[in-house]
Amino acid sequence: LAANYNASLSTPFISSAHGTSVAGIIAAEGNNGIGVAGVAYKAQWSEQLFGSALLNASTFMWANQAHPIKNNSWGPIDNGELHSITTVELDALKEAVEDGRNSKGIIFTWAAGNGGSNDRVEYDPYAGSRYTIAVGAISNTDQQSSYSEDGSSLLIVAPSDGASSGIVTTTLNNNYDFNYGGTSASASMAAGAAALMLEANSDLDWCDVQAILARTARK
């Protein structure tokens, strides 16, 4: 991960096993004979904080000319209840998508949730937003992972765990997780795919990326 890490755009000292695994799926360096390669293995990555409404809004707006894609492998607790989003967060998402990246829009990928049949994607107001790409999980048997939620705001699914194997990626202390999963992994896969799209055509706007994901998905 180190070769592709952009420290100048990161909030320091927040490394975690979860975040390190997410980053590895997206942007672990490739062609170096070490460990794993990310989906977009030439992409740079940074790490940001989330938490309070003001902090989240600040992160949604942070360095938007330098962050064409912002992956979010987090969300409210998957408890089957409808959650709310604050006005300050919604306004920040809207502004990032409408004005970020020279008005082409920041691409927000979002974990669709791990509540299974006990929850729905649109109960999470972030994954349920029109400004984000909600990503669910399928297993290596090509079936919906049991924890992956249904919902009207689910746009796409991507590989994760849930059957006989999971995702191999980086983790703390220069180690590897050989069975990583959840919709956190799926969202990271989609973020990497979006990065490859923008590498091929940086003029794609946020609606273009959603449309390409939907139209090229294998049903």
Side-chain angles (χ1 to χ4, degrees):
L1 282 175
N4 291 335
Y5 177 58
N6 191 321
S8 66
L9 293 174
S10 296
T11 303
F13 311 120
I14 60 171
S15 296
S16 66
H18 180 71
T20 305
S21 295
V22 164
I25 292 173
I26 300 170
E29 185 183 13
N31 300 319
N32 60 359
I34 301 172
V36 300
V39 177
Y41 58 81
K42 295 181 181 178
Q44 291 191 341
W45 65 277
S46 70
E47 53 184 347
Q48 310 299 326
L49 289 168
F50 70 94
S52 69
L54 287 175
L55 178 58
N56 293 343
S58 176
T59 296
F60 298 157
M61 293 298 298
W62 167 250
N64 278 344
Q65 298 310 316
H67 288 98
I69 300 163
K70 294 188 175 184
N71 179 68
N72 293 266
S73 289
W74 64 274
I77 186 171
D78 299 315
N79 59 0
E81 297 181 3
L82 184 64
H83 298 270
S84 60
I85 185 171
T86 63
T87 299
V88 67
E89 291 171 290
L90 184 58
D91 287 347
L93 271 178
K94 183 174 184 291
E95 184 174 343
V97 167
E98 292 183 347
D99 299 332
R101 202 165 54 95
N102 295 318
S103 298
K104 291 188 288 289
I106 306 304
I107 313 301
F108 285 95
T109 50
W110 218 287
N114 301 330
S117 60
N118 296 317
D119 204 358
R120 286 185 62 84
V121 181
E122 65 268 25
Y123 292 179
D124 173 346
Y126 307 96
S129 170
R130 69 186 295 261
Y131 300 120
T132 68
I133 298 171
V135 187
I138 56 170
S139 70
N140 62 297
T141 61
D142 218 29
Q143 301 295 316
Q144 178 179 357
S145 301
S146 61
Y147 57 78
S148 190
E149 300 171 17
D150 294 328
S152 59
S153 61
L154 183 68
L155 181 71
I156 198 82
V157 295
S160 190
D161 66 342
S164 59
S165 66
I167 304 300
V168 182
T169 185
T170 48
T171 191
L172 292 181
N173 302 316
N174 297 319
N175 288 320
Y176 298 92
D177 187 337
F178 291 89
N179 199 36
Y180 186 67
T183 55
S184 288
S186 305
S188 306
M189 292 272 187
L196 296 179
M197 290 184 206
L198 296 185
E199 180 184 28
N201 184 355
S202 61
D203 288 331
L204 296 172
D205 67 24
W206 68 285
C207 289
D208 293 331
V209 172
Q210 291 197 18
I212 291 170
L213 286 172
R215 293 177 182 179
T216 61
R218 176 172 52 83
K219 295 183 180 180

